[in-house]
Amino acid sequence: MTAANRPSDPGFGAFVAAASAAGRLVVQPRMGFGDADLMRTGLARTRAATAHTVGTLTVDSYTRVGALDAARAAVADGTRLNGYPIAAHSPDTTRAVLAGLRGPDFPVQVRHGSARPEHIIRALTAAGLDATEGGPVSYCLPYGRTPLRESVAAWVRACELLAEGSAGTPHLESFGGCLLGQLCPPGLLVAMSVLECVFFAQHGLRSVSLSYAQQTDAAQDEEALRALHRLAAEFLPAGVEHHVVLYTYMGVYPRTESGALRLLEASARLAVRSGAGRLIVKTAAEAHRIPTVDENVRALETAAAAAALAGAPAPDTAPEDSEIYQEARTLIETALTLHPDLARALPTAFARGLLDVPFCLHPDNAGDSLGFIDPTGRLRWARTGAMPLRPERGADESPLTSSGLLAALQHVADRYDGGLGEHQDPEGQGAFADRRGPLDGHDAADHHTPADHRALAQHRDGPGRPAATPLTV
């Protein structure tokens, strides 16, 4: 048993570090069930999978938004929820779910999506858990209308609660590399992941992970992940343990099973090539419904097999000052120049438009930036607003129409469903080849949107209660 795995030094981050040292990619599902017995079954099957796994408790939508009375009512009457209501179940119930499963060889993370997560942190630490994820920006801007300053203040308290309430080494993962899932150029994703992890360290966390979501071009993604590794080493304080976690594509997912599996395998190869320590997988059912336990296990084993066949990480041949590295570093330094305390700097940066997420409708986001997919498949800036970045020359000359947006949202799904996989569009047309025309006969209802893809459940949670808010974490 390695030092990182001894009971005297437990921790989610230590587990991933030990796996990386042994040359093994950790794979993880995004799995959550309201029923405690089913949740335990899901964890047991994850642990038993032919893969190097960690477990997940993804919370339900009521718990995410703090509607705890509704969550308790659903638990009391047996209503199906789209996740595990950790703050509605007692700590004893959660400990029973974890008993005999969670341990040094199988850590468990709580995933939630909350801009105000204090109640979730209290519930998970009361049950003996010490790993979770999110962030003051990444769990605020995409998910609702909570004022950013309120989210930042809540996340300061959440970090302190996690640090104080954990017996071992608590771990916090930034969701910053996954903002809105798609159509956000990688420089901003990398910068937000680094900034949130520096924020976590400023408020007491010594073990963090930096996220990045697979985007539209494999070479660009690898460049982004290399930049994320480098910037984490440059900006995180000495002594803060960290690793990089890659998410299988977060946008509109392939509708065919073969396309979905090809995309999952591509993400596993990308994780290995770029030196990521952990991969959040998606299943072949993502485009259609909530995945079953069996489908989650198959995704874990498919990703693990693809990673094993990928061999050793590729050498870093990217230039030290790559375009993505330069963009991300500029944004990080711009925020830190506003104030060394990111609890103060982040709201100011967004208020001034110095950080600006494309396609984000939150009132505290300027909304002056715009990303696009260029003819080679790479994500670039058409507009950068007040951000200190340079947009692609001429990219914003034609207005973005509904057909252009739909084509961009469908770009990856269409490519993998069409059998092209990691190869580019053979005709070099790109996703914005038509930015001018009307809807061209396409029915918008036939296309998924980022919000559609966040809908883990579209059901009514019992008589007289509102539908659960869609959730992707």
Side-chain angles (χ1 to χ4, degrees):
M1 181 177 289
T2 66
N5 273 339
R6 283 199 296 264
S8 60
D9 184 24
F12 190 93
F15 176 85
V16 176
S20 295
R24 303 187 69 178
L25 177 68
V26 174
V27 291
Q28 179 177 2
R30 298 188 304 170
M31 181 189 295
F33 304 102
D35 179 77
D37 290 338
L38 182 57
M39 189 69 255
R40 179 172 172 80
T41 297
L43 289 172
R45 293 287 306 282
T46 298
R47 188 175 191 265
T50 306
H52 207 56
T53 59
V54 293
T56 307
L57 291 175
T58 298
V59 307
D60 66 294
S61 296
Y62 287 138
T63 302
R64 173 171 74 88
V65 299
L68 299 186
D69 287 343
R72 294 186 188 103
V75 170
D77 63 22
T79 299
R80 182 174 177 241
L81 293 172
N82 66 344
Y84 182 77
I86 192 166
H89 285 310
S90 70
D92 285 344
T93 296
T94 301
R95 281 192 287 266
V97 168
L98 300 167
L101 299 175
R102 176 182 177 265
D105 60 345
F106 185 67
V108 175
Q109 183 190 46
V110 176
R111 306 184 67 86
H112 56 87
S114 180
R116 297 185 179 98
E118 301 101 307
H119 60 292
I120 296 171
I121 303 299
R122 291 189 182 96
L124 72 89
T125 56
L129 290 161
D130 56 14
T132 187
E133 47 79 63
V137 174
S138 60
Y139 268 2
C140 177
L141 296 188
Y143 286 114
R145 300 177 67 84
T146 300
L148 181 57
R149 290 187 183 277
E150 292 184 14
S151 178
V152 168
W155 273 91
V156 168
R157 294 190 294 272
C159 289
E160 293 168 352
L161 286 169
L162 184 62
E164 295 166 1
S166 301
T169 303
H171 183 87
L172 189 48
E173 170 195 326
S174 166
F175 197 68
C178 310
L179 287 171
L180 294 181
Q182 57 187 322
L183 300 185
C184 182
L188 179 57
L189 299 177
V190 170
M192 282 310 314
S193 202
V194 173
L195 285 168
E196 287 197 331
C197 282
V198 173
F199 173 96
F200 299 157
Q202 289 180 345
H203 296 285
L205 277 301
R206 310 303 294 170
S207 178
V208 300
S209 48
L210 305 99
S211 67
Y212 180 78
Q214 180 186 20
Q215 298 294 321
T216 58
D217 179 79
Q220 186 182 38
D221 287 339
E222 187 170 345
E223 180 185 326
L225 286 159
R226 301 284 187 188
L228 185 55
H229 282 290
R230 182 179 171 194
L231 290 163
E234 291 173 355
F235 283 95
L236 285 174
V240 174
E241 169 191 76
H242 67 273
H243 68 266
V244 168
V245 53
L246 175 68
Y247 286 61
T248 300
Y249 188 65
M250 297 279 285
V252 179
Y253 217 64
R255 294 174 180 266
T256 65
E257 182 175 7
S258 59
L261 291 175
R262 278 195 296 269
L263 181 52
L264 173 60
E265 290 169 344
S267 72
R269 290 190 291 269
L270 172 62
V272 172
R273 283 198 311 274
S274 62
R278 182 162 49 101
L279 175 69
I280 308 294
V281 307
K282 294 185 80 171
T283 74
E286 295 292 335
H288 309 286
R289 54 176 167 75
I290 301 173
T292 65
V293 172
D294 285 344
E295 288 164 339
N296 273 290
V297 171
R298 183 185 178 193
L300 293 167
E301 294 180 341
T302 298
L309 292 172
D316 186 359
T317 58
E320 284 198 358
D321 293 324
S322 69
E323 178 183 54
I324 296 172
Y325 173 84
Q326 291 176 331
E327 283 193 357
R329 186 179 181 92
T330 296
L331 294 173
I332 294 165
E333 290 178 335
T334 297
L336 289 170
T337 298
L338 297 173
H339 199 281
D341 180 358
L342 284 172
R344 297 179 63 177
L346 287 172
T348 302
F350 278 95
R352 296 182 184 178
L354 299 172
L355 296 172
D356 187 358
V357 182
F359 301 102
C360 176
L361 301 180
H362 192 282
D364 290 332
N365 187 66
D368 293 329
S369 68
L370 180 67
F372 77 102
I373 304 173
D374 76 8
T376 70
R378 291 170 71 95
L379 276 165
R380 296 194 179 277
W381 291 108
R383 293 200 302 267
T384 55
M387 290 190 293
L389 305 177
R390 182 177 300 171
E392 193 79 1
R393 181 177 296 177
D396 199 35
E397 292 178 355
S398 301
L400 175 61
T401 64
S402 55
S403 60
L405 178 58
L406 289 172
L409 293 173
Q410 290 286 147
H411 177 75
V412 170
D414 288 347
R415 196 167 82 222
Y416 279 85
D417 279 338
L420 294 177
E422 293 164 272
H423 301 292
Q424 297 300 324
D425 178 352
E427 304 198 9
Q429 296 299 305
F432 277 13
D434 174 14
R435 290 169 58 98
R436 298 178 179 273
L439 203 54
D440 293 335
H442 293 293
D443 181 355
D446 290 335
H447 294 267
H448 288 218
T449 67
D452 292 328
H453 211 63
R454 288 195 294 271
L456 296 187
Q458 295 285 353
H459 59 82
R460 296 188 67 83
D461 284 348
R465 293 203 291 277
T469 307
L471 173 64
T472 286
V473 293

